[in-house]
Amino acid sequence: MKNKSTKITLLFVLFYASLAIASYLLLSKIFPSQPDLLYYGFMKDIGFIFLAGIIFKYVLTKNDRRNNKIFESLQKSNDEIRESNERYDIVAKATSDTIWDWKIQEDDFVWNKGIQDVFGYNREDVGKHLNGGLTEFIQKTASKCR
């Protein structure tokens, strides 16, 4: 079997078909005087089970395709992010400059190791927020540059 949706559908159909057979056999012993009515009910049940199995398989297959598209999209995004991070790392290693990234919405700064090499500060000492040590860092650095 190729995928899980086929296995699940087959288990569904087999379980409910065996349940229909067992109920037919049980009812034929309880009501032996009406075999035609029981046979008609049994065939109707089997038909509905197979119809439900086909619908079930269609829904599962459609969901599998949608999930595969989402997974491929996420995998592509992850690959692009990984490549971008690799380029950033190459640039950060190639230069002795300080590189920083400011996430304005979150007021969060990310520094490369150049902050320590160039200015002598640890990343933790500088702070990650504009109000959390970064202002002091800017003032101290600006005074050194003058």
Side-chain angles (χ1 to χ4, degrees), residues 8-69:
I8 292 170
T9 305
L10 185 61
L11 285 174
F12 171 82
V13 170
L14 288 176
F15 175 75
Y16 283 105
S18 63
L19 188 64
I21 292 169
S23 66
Y24 171 74
L25 293 174
L26 180 66
L27 289 173
S28 65
K29 289 183 182 185
I30 295 173
F31 303 107
S33 63
Q34 300 175 344
D36 291 338
L37 184 61
L38 291 175
Y39 182 74
Y40 170 74
F42 170 70
M43 293 308 289
K44 175 186 61 86
D45 290 345
I46 293 295
F48 281 136
I49 290 168
F50 281 110
L51 180 63
I54 291 169
I55 293 169
F56 196 56
K57 171 70 172 152
Y58 171 75
V59 169
L60 288 176
T61 302
K62 189 174 179 182
N63 282 339
D64 279 348
R65 287 183 188 141
R66 183 177 50 97
N67 289 342
N68 285 339
K69 285 180 184 178

Side-chain angles (χ1 to χ4, degrees), residues 48-139:
F48 281 136
I49 290 168
F50 281 110
L51 180 63
I54 291 169
I55 293 169
F56 196 56
K57 171 70 172 152
Y58 171 75
V59 169
L60 288 176
T61 302
K62 189 174 179 182
N63 282 339
D64 279 348
R65 287 183 188 141
R66 183 177 50 97
N67 289 342
N68 285 339
K69 285 180 184 178
I70 292 171
F71 178 74
E72 289 170 3
S73 172
L74 287 174
Q75 197 169 20
K76 182 181 175 187
S77 296
N78 284 342
D79 290 342
E80 290 172 356
I81 290 170
R82 188 177 309 110
E83 288 174 7
S84 175
N85 286 341
E86 288 172 359
R87 286 192 297 271
Y88 172 82
D89 288 341
I90 290 170
V91 169
K93 288 177 185 175
T95 182
S96 62
D97 293 339
T98 301
I99 300 173
W100 54 277
D101 182 27
W102 182 17
K103 298 176 187 173
I104 296 174
Q105 293 86 358
E106 298 155 14
D107 188 31
D108 188 28
F109 284 87
V110 178
W111 299 88
N112 75 334
K113 68 178 185 174
I115 191 74
Q116 186 170 0
D117 297 343
V118 174
F119 296 106
Y121 297 111
N122 289 329
R123 289 186 221 180
E124 296 80 27
D125 295 341
V126 175
K128 290 187 156 205
H129 306 287
L130 194 57
N131 295 329
L134 184 61
T135 307
E136 295 172 22
F137 165 73
I138 292 171
Q139 291 170 350

